[in-house]
Amino acid sequence: GESVGLHLPTLSVQEGDNSIINCAYSNSASDYFIWYKQESGKGPQFIIDIRSNMDKRQGQRVTVLLNKTVKHLSLQIAATQPGDSAVYFCAENNYNQGGKLIFGQGTELSVKP
Amino acid sequence: GAGVSQTPSNKVTEKGKYVELRCDPISGHTALYWYRQSLGQGPEFLIYFQGTGAADDSGLPNDRFFAVRPEGSVSTLKIQRTERGDSAVYLCASSLAGGNEQFFGPGTRLTVL
């Protein structure tokens, strides 16, 4: 069946270092991938997305890489700050399924000052 | 502008009772989604509305769960004969149309005693 999962459940980094959060997916038909950040007691917040016809997309301090050959997605955060501490989820979508998102389990990022 | 709002923020009920959870989407968003999130897990899709109609209700776990969106704006998730296993955070999201970026509300934490 379909699944989206993460390699690492927790990640601890020093403030100022770069962070890399990984995600594996199994549905090769997925068209669209999104990274969300979720702080305690809040709903997921959109960070960055990427379409399946791309392999890299950059935002402000964040970069998403998509490797369709091995069905792997990663989120890179540059110069990680204490405010980046949260749980990060990857999610996938198939246009044929409308807006339905399938989420992975999540990685908790902890930034040490 | 106002984001997605959900009420109540917390709901405690007894096993067997009926509950209603409300979602107010962003004005103008035609697509509305309900997800359920258990502790330590990613959100799990329940149902997706495009306008007033449920475009995909494949995620509803059983017939105790029902959702409506009579005027294409506010939505209510209804759970009958609640069970302890229904305890979770229920998240609502909206988007301009199906497949576009989804904006999440803060969620309703449901606890069934």
Side-chain angles (χ1 to χ4, degrees), chain B residues 8-30:
Chain B
S9 55
N10 281 283
K11 176 70 177 178
V12 180
T13 191
E14 294 179 340
K15 181 176 179 294
K17 298 291 187 182
Y18 168 82
V19 296
E20 289 190 350
L21 312 179
R22 176 186 169 110
C23 173
D24 284 80
I26 294 172
S27 178
H29 281 192
T30 62

Side-chain angles (χ1 to χ4, degrees), chain B residues 58-90:
Chain B
S58 62
L60 295 178
N62 51 60
D63 61 5
R64 294 187 297 105
F65 289 74
F66 190 71
V68 295
R69 196 186 184 200
E71 298 179 358
S73 179
V74 171
S75 177
T76 304
L77 178 65
K78 307 180 181 190
I79 310 174
Q80 299 177 322
R81 304 183 303 280
T82 52
E83 300 177 356
R84 292 192 179 88
D86 298 335
S87 296
V89 174
Y90 289 81

Side-chain angles (χ1 to χ4, degrees), chain A residues 32 36 38 41-44 46 51 89 93 95 97-101 103-105, chain B residues 33 35 37 40-43 45 48 56 58 91 98-102 104-106:
Chain A
Y32 176 54
Y36 282 92
Q38 188 173 27
K42 298 182 179 180
F46 174 93
R51 305 285 172 181
F89 294 97
N93 172 254
Y95 291 140
Q97 296 183 346
K100 174 182 178 179
L101 293 177
F103 283 82
Q105 184 179 11
Chain B
Y33 314 82
Y35 295 84
Q37 186 173 27
Q41 302 295 318
F45 172 79
Y48 153 51
D56 182 354
S58 62
L91 293 163
N100 287 39
E101 179 184 341
Q102 296 182 26
F104 281 82

Side-chain angles (χ1 to χ4, degrees), chain A residues 20-83:
Chain A
I20 299 176
I21 301 173
N22 296 301
C23 174
Y25 66 94
S26 62
N27 186 359
S28 58
S30 291
D31 307 288
Y32 176 54
F33 302 88
I34 314 99
W35 281 101
Y36 282 92
K37 172 185 179 184
Q38 188 173 27
E39 297 173 292
S40 181
K42 298 182 179 180
Q45 177 187 4
F46 174 93
I47 301 173
I48 191 168
D49 59 5
I50 188 167
R51 305 285 172 181
S52 60
N53 62 351
M54 303 171 66
D55 55 19
K56 180 179 180 179
R57 187 158 189 232
Q58 288 185 293
Q60 186 175 14
R61 285 202 306 118
V62 294
T63 300
V64 56
L65 300 177
L66 176 62
N67 185 331
K68 294 182 288 294
T69 302
V70 294
K71 298 178 187 173
H72 185 267
L73 191 69
S74 69
L75 175 70
Q76 300 178 0
I77 304 173
T80 314
Q81 303 169 359

